[in-house]
Amino acid sequence: MVRVLALFLALVAACTARPARGTLSITDDWGRTVALAAPAQRIVSLSPSSTEILFAIGAGPRLVGRTDYCDWPPAARAVPSVGNGMQPSVEAVVARRPDLVVLYASAANRAAVQGLTALGIPVAVLKLDLGADVVRAARRLGILTGEADAADSLVAAFDASLGAVRARIAAQPGRRPLLYVDVWASPPMTVGRGSYLSQVLEAAGAVNSFGDLGASAATVSLEAIASRDPDAVLVLAPDTLHPPDLAARPGWTTVRAVREGRVLVVDASLYGRPGPRMPLAAEDLARRIAPLRWRSGR
């Protein structure tokens, strides 16, 4: 992880701010044109992923509003919260006097987008579900904040760091461990093919035990989990100091990995949020599953 972080920081540090001239314009993920006469100075970010990107490109100090879940980097916690980010209160957002609002591309946010736009407040709607979305969102936010060079550096660091993890894993001997990703306990819910977490698993050299599911997330049965016999169960926990006890869940000891204690509890903020820290999540997971590459008995 140290090597990846060092590469990441070195590439970001190489950037210099690009002076903004004229109108700054992007097309957001709803096909809307968002244009600013000058770089945004008072930004309300209504998704943890966009908040992480804004801090990563140097625009974090200009945040005047965030969601309850925007907890990274630590400096984000000092920014006043305006709610949970979904179906936000227009009044609470307007009270922060923003010159740019960044929203997650969800139908639940459509009314807020219309309300803010009607008040003349520029709104950028960004879809942040996959690794590629992080790259696209960083470049758009770089333009709107006048930090296009920093965004370019972030993207270069992101791609280089993720590529370094993949290359190292590819060069290592051993098989690719099969992991079940625990998204929800009852009924059991996991991630499918092409989801962000599947992308993290793939980069780390693991295989999603339900990678054949077409949906990004779906409910599955305990019987199906047990029959696929994963090498380990990956649990995303908001509080890793107090992780859930999977063996205490009714029926879960039918899953051999649970019965034998192969449960990997990881930071939900690091793993579950499409953002600049994706290479760090992949590196962390690669380290955790390294012993499983040699596990026999399958």
Side-chain angles (χ1 to χ4, degrees):
M1 178 180 289
V2 172
R3 184 165 53 246
V4 173
L5 182 59
L7 175 60
F8 184 85
L9 293 175
L11 288 171
V12 171
C15 72
T16 53
R18 177 186 297 169
R21 294 187 177 88
T23 300
L24 307 173
S25 178
I26 66 161
T27 300
D28 71 10
D29 285 322
W30 280 354
R32 305 164 54 256
T33 298
V34 183
L36 304 178
Q41 298 300 317
R42 294 184 62 83
I43 307 167
V44 171
S45 172
L46 295 176
S47 86
S49 294
S50 57
T51 295
E52 288 200 22
I53 292 171
L54 285 163
F55 272 95
I57 63 176
R62 286 182 254 162
L63 257 68
V64 295
R66 62 168 177 106
T67 76
D68 298 340
Y69 305 110
C70 295
D71 56 2
W72 191 268
R77 299 172 189 168
V79 178
S81 175
V82 295
N84 65 15
M86 298 301 287
Q87 297 181 305
S89 162
V90 171
E91 291 76 13
V93 173
V94 171
R96 301 305 305 157
R97 297 182 291 111
D99 57 11
L100 175 66
V101 177
V102 184
L103 274 159
Y104 175 66
S106 165
N109 286 335
R110 193 169 292 279
V113 173
Q114 293 171 343
L116 291 165
T117 303
L119 293 171
I121 298 173
V123 179
V125 181
L126 300 179
K127 174 177 176 288
L128 274 159
D129 295 328
L130 300 171
D133 296 336
V134 177
V135 170
R136 190 175 62 254
R139 289 194 165 119
R140 287 169 170 170
L141 291 174
I143 292 171
L144 294 176
T145 60
E147 300 288 354
D149 286 343
D152 288 345
S153 295
L154 174 67
V155 169
F158 182 90
D159 289 341
S161 300
L162 206 53
V165 176
R166 287 194 172 106
R168 195 179 71 256
I169 296 301
Q172 291 177 350
R175 62 184 182 82
R176 294 162 61 88
L178 189 67
L179 301 188
Y180 172 75
V181 181
D182 180 68
V183 172
W184 194 254
S186 182
M189 180 176 287
T190 191
V191 295
R193 181 176 61 246
S195 64
Y196 175 70
L197 279 168
S198 267
Q199 291 183 332
V200 172
L201 263 61
E202 181 273 332
V207 176
N208 179 2
S209 64
F210 282 90
D212 56 328
L213 292 177
S216 59
T219 299
V220 296
S221 69
L222 260 178
E223 293 76 13
I225 301 170
S227 69
R228 297 190 180 205
D229 193 20
D231 291 295
V233 175
L234 185 72
V235 181
L236 278 64
D239 180 1
T240 55
L241 296 178
H242 301 89
D245 183 1
L246 269 64
R249 294 177 181 173
W252 276 75
T253 53
T254 58
V255 180
R256 183 161 62 140
V258 174
R259 193 167 60 247
E260 297 179 357
R262 294 190 302 279
V263 177
L264 307 175
V265 180
V266 298
D267 180 359
S269 165
L270 174 62
Y271 276 70
R273 182 180 301 169
R277 292 186 292 162
M278 181 180 180
L280 298 182
E283 176 70 19
D284 183 68
L285 182 59
R287 177 182 57 79
R288 290 172 183 268
I289 65 174
L292 299 174
R293 295 173 71 87
W294 305 104
R295 178 174 174 264
S296 60
R298 294 186 57 80

